[in-house]
Amino acid sequence: MHRFLGTARDAVRSWLRSAPGTYVWLTILLVTTIVMRHMAPDTLDAFLGDRSTNIHALSTHPFRVLVQSALWIDGGSWLPYAVLYTLFHAPAERWLGTGRWLLVLGAAHIGATYLSEGALLWAIRHGHAPVSMVDTLDVGVSYALAGVVAVLTYRFARPWRYGYAAGVLVVYGAPLVTGRTFTDLGHFASVLIGLACFPLTRGRPGAEWSPPAAVRRTWAAVTRVR
């Protein structure tokens, strides 16, 4: 048992070191989430509004809000993000390398923000949305996450790749059909941007990931520890 715990501890440390960007970002989100918990509701709304990538902010100080909006969670718990970052961001960073991983999430975050807010601006100008929505709150990390989820399509071996891609398109496409909000559009745009990042995946080391092969390797590792 002691040997197993030691092996598990070493594996966790190795995993964290292999995806530094993911876990530094996750740590920042933990800190900012704790800060949010200590703010009064009215103060929090104004605070997040100043860091929102809404139409007004993007037209006046885009760089600042694009960076700051990715450092806050729009309500909810931090723990689900820790799980999602470990399942998607960390494997993507390990596979692509920190630089290419940053390019993918940056392209998804920035591209989807401008596409969704541009669509909202069009709706406002044509009377399909109220003018007050130029200041709509839009913070969070979901666009970047959606882009990284999508680019991981190319990590899978065929035919698993096609099933994964179909699942991603359904998960992010269904809300766009049923809800049709600007954030639904942003999430789906993020997926398309992630899929368009295929050139960044070329020449990456390591074999394509196959679920059956991964299960066999995991079982072999567990039995060796025993």
Side-chain angles (χ1 to χ4, degrees):
M1 184 65 178
H2 179 73
R3 181 184 175 188
F4 176 79
L5 292 176
T7 302
R9 183 177 61 251
D10 292 341
V12 170
R13 288 175 179 172
S14 177
W15 178 268
L16 294 176
R17 293 193 196 103
S18 68
T22 295
Y23 291 103
V24 167
W25 190 10
L26 198 55
T27 301
I28 293 172
L29 291 177
L30 175 60
V31 173
T32 57
T33 300
I34 293 172
V35 170
M36 288 172 57
R37 293 286 185 270
H38 290 83
M39 288 186 179
D42 292 343
T43 303
L44 179 60
D45 289 343
F47 183 83
L48 292 180
D50 190 48
R51 288 151 179 80
S52 171
T53 50
N54 53 49
I55 295 171
H56 174 71
L58 288 172
S59 65
T60 54
H61 36 269
F63 180 78
R64 179 175 68 81
V65 294
L66 283 167
V67 173
Q68 291 185 338
S69 66
L71 304 179
W72 301 85
I73 296 172
D74 185 14
S77 171
W78 173 84
L79 187 57
Y81 288 92
V83 174
L84 291 171
Y85 272 48
T86 299
L87 289 176
F88 297 106
H89 274 300
E93 185 180 1
R94 284 165 55 91
W95 171 46
L96 295 173
T98 301
R100 296 189 187 201
W101 167 75
L102 285 171
L103 286 175
V104 173
L105 70 87
H109 175 62
I110 296 170
T113 295
Y114 274 101
L115 283 169
S116 59
E117 294 295 339
L120 179 59
L121 179 59
W122 180 91
I124 292 172
R125 287 178 174 174
H126 289 80
H128 302 301
V131 176
S132 61
M133 291 193 73
V134 296
D135 292 315
T136 298
L137 182 65
D138 187 17
V139 298
V141 299
S142 58
Y143 290 168
L145 178 61
V148 169
V149 167
V151 81
L152 280 172
T153 295
Y154 306 114
R155 187 71 176 97
F156 283 81
R158 298 175 180 85
W160 307 101
R161 175 180 301 183
Y162 306 122
Y164 179 86
V168 171
L169 290 171
V170 169
V171 167
Y172 285 99
L176 180 61
V177 174
T178 57
R180 291 180 291 182
T181 67
F182 77 96
T183 53
D184 294 329
L185 175 61
H187 287 129
F188 193 72
S190 298
V191 167
L192 297 182
I193 291 170
L195 292 174
C197 288
F198 171 70
L200 292 175
T201 70
R202 291 177 174 171
R204 301 316 298 159
E208 293 177 335
W209 193 74
S210 170
V215 170
R216 288 194 296 269
R217 288 194 300 270
T218 301
W219 178 253
V222 170
T223 53
R224 280 200 303 270
V225 171
R226 287 178 179 176

